[in-house]
Amino acid sequence: MKAISYRAYGGPEVLEFGELPEPKVGPDSVLVKVRAAAVNPVDWKAQAGYLDGMLQAVFPVVPGWDVSGVVVALGADTPEFAIGDEVMGYVREDLLSRGTFAEYVAAPVRTLARKPANLTFEQAAGIPLAGLTAYQALRAAGTGEGDTVLVHAAAGGVGTMAVQLAKHLGARVIGTAGERNHDYLRALGAEPVTYGDGLAGRVRALAPEGVDVVLDLVGGGTIHTSPEVTAPGARLISIADPEVAALGGRLLWVRPDAADLTALSHLAEQGVLTVEVAEVFPLEKTADAQRLSAEGHTRGKIVVTV
């Protein structure tokens, strides 16, 4: 099969486009013919070796965890799916090896759900990692009706999902973003504030009694503004800063979960969850897609098609 891979840690320059063996399909997995795979910052961070203390790399590594495609072969015990099913998945295993930037990926059924019928393959590929992260973070914070939620980096991939899901839960949402994305956040139902110096004052102006939930999706010490903007008993979740624990919060690492992903698929079909695709690249241009992702200024998802 055609695939993108790397044989040593590094930047986009280590990516190779060529032939690799088609993956074998285990008893609880299905073979997915990839139609689209979304690019996430964790892809190039893992490729650079930043996760080497956590995940074993089995070279050559095919990068990518997000996917949408069609089931073309079944494992020995996979009653959840049939050949021809259109699926999406967060295909993360506890090692770096057989990812989604390829013509085929062997995906454990615990990582998959049916693709929303109303979304394109490109849109569906943008849901799994970002959507699951937002969904699981809001659940971990016990977010519900009447809460005021502060989402840091609200215009990013995870942030836009968090805004939409929090609004669906009945929460009021304040989102940090650059001014060029303020109208976009308003359209999603959030109240935008500009990040940077003076952020706490701007948040307090909108929520004088403090916010109930803080989602830190960017790191870089952002979580340390929380005591200045939170109400008593506020819940703090970070996906990027372990120091959240010192403030009584939780560091969250998103997990593949078929039930959660199915819930997101249903929400997309109901029109609750939308996906903006910023740019699409062919598989052989994955390095260019990574470079664009690393710039950190893209609104919406960057997607590779196969």
Side-chain angles (χ1 to χ4, degrees):
M1 67 175 182
K2 296 291 186 184
I4 294 290
S5 65
Y6 58 93
R7 301 176 185 277
Y9 289 136
E13 72 282 352
V14 303
L15 293 178
E16 303 174 15
F17 175 66
E19 292 283 344
L20 286 178
E22 188 175 300
K24 296 179 180 180
V25 183
D28 62 349
S29 296
V30 298
L31 188 67
V32 176
K33 181 173 178 56
V34 178
R35 294 287 300 275
V39 178
N40 294 290
V42 72
D43 298 328
W44 50 264
K45 291 177 181 179
Q47 180 181 308
Y50 296 154
L51 302 184
D52 188 61
M54 181 186 302
L55 298 177
Q56 177 72 36
V58 180
F59 296 106
V61 173
V62 176
W65 287 338
D66 271 348
V67 71
S68 66
V70 180
V71 175
V72 293
L74 304 174
D77 186 18
T78 54
E80 295 90 344
F81 296 103
I83 291 175
D85 283 347
E86 296 181 351
V87 295
M88 64 180 184
Y90 172 44
V91 190
R92 176 176 66 79
E93 300 177 272
D94 290 333
L95 51 80
L96 298 174
S97 180
R98 50 183 195 175
T100 58
F101 292 112
E103 288 186 303
Y104 297 95
V105 63
V109 294
R110 66 181 175 84
T111 69
L112 296 176
R114 282 174 172 76
K115 175 182 115 17
N118 59 326
L119 297 190
T120 66
F121 283 103
E122 290 82 3
Q123 291 170 316
I127 288 180
L129 187 152
L132 285 172
T133 302
Y135 189 85
Q136 292 173 9
L138 289 164
R139 181 173 59 203
T143 310
E145 185 81 32
D147 279 337
T148 297
V149 179
L150 174 61
V151 179
H152 290 293
V158 179
T160 56
M161 297 286 180
V163 169
Q164 295 175 82
L165 292 171
K167 292 295 294 182
H168 178 66
L169 292 170
R172 175 193 181 194
V173 182
I174 299 171
T176 70
E179 290 186 8
R180 70 185 182 90
N181 286 319
H182 282 196
D183 286 343
Y184 174 61
L185 289 183
R186 290 188 187 98
L188 293 178
E191 300 167 56
V193 293
T194 304
Y195 48 69
D197 291 343
L199 172 62
R202 291 189 290 276
V203 173
R204 276 288 184 182
L206 290 174
E209 296 181 0
V211 303
D212 304 296
V213 175
V214 176
L215 299 188
D216 168 29
L217 310 178
V218 66
T222 300
I223 197 68
H224 291 289
T225 63
S226 298
E228 302 176 64
V229 300
T230 49
R235 293 90 75 191
L236 312 181
I237 305 291
S238 178
I239 66 169
D241 193 339
E243 294 186 13
V244 67
L247 297 172
R250 173 181 166 183
L251 179 69
L252 182 136
W253 182 269
V254 61
R255 294 182 180 183
D257 188 294
D260 288 354
L261 196 55
T262 297
L264 292 170
S265 180
H266 291 329
L267 289 172
E269 290 181 333
Q270 294 163 18
V272 171
L273 202 60
T274 61
V275 182
E276 179 172 348
V277 176
E279 195 157 347
V280 177
F281 293 81
L283 181 63
E284 60 269 24
K285 299 293 186 181
T286 298
D288 292 335
Q290 267 196 6
R291 291 185 184 97
L292 181 61
S293 174
E295 290 175 4
H297 302 302
T298 303
R299 187 178 76 197
K301 300 298 295 187
I302 300 166
V303 176
V304 168
T305 55
V306 182

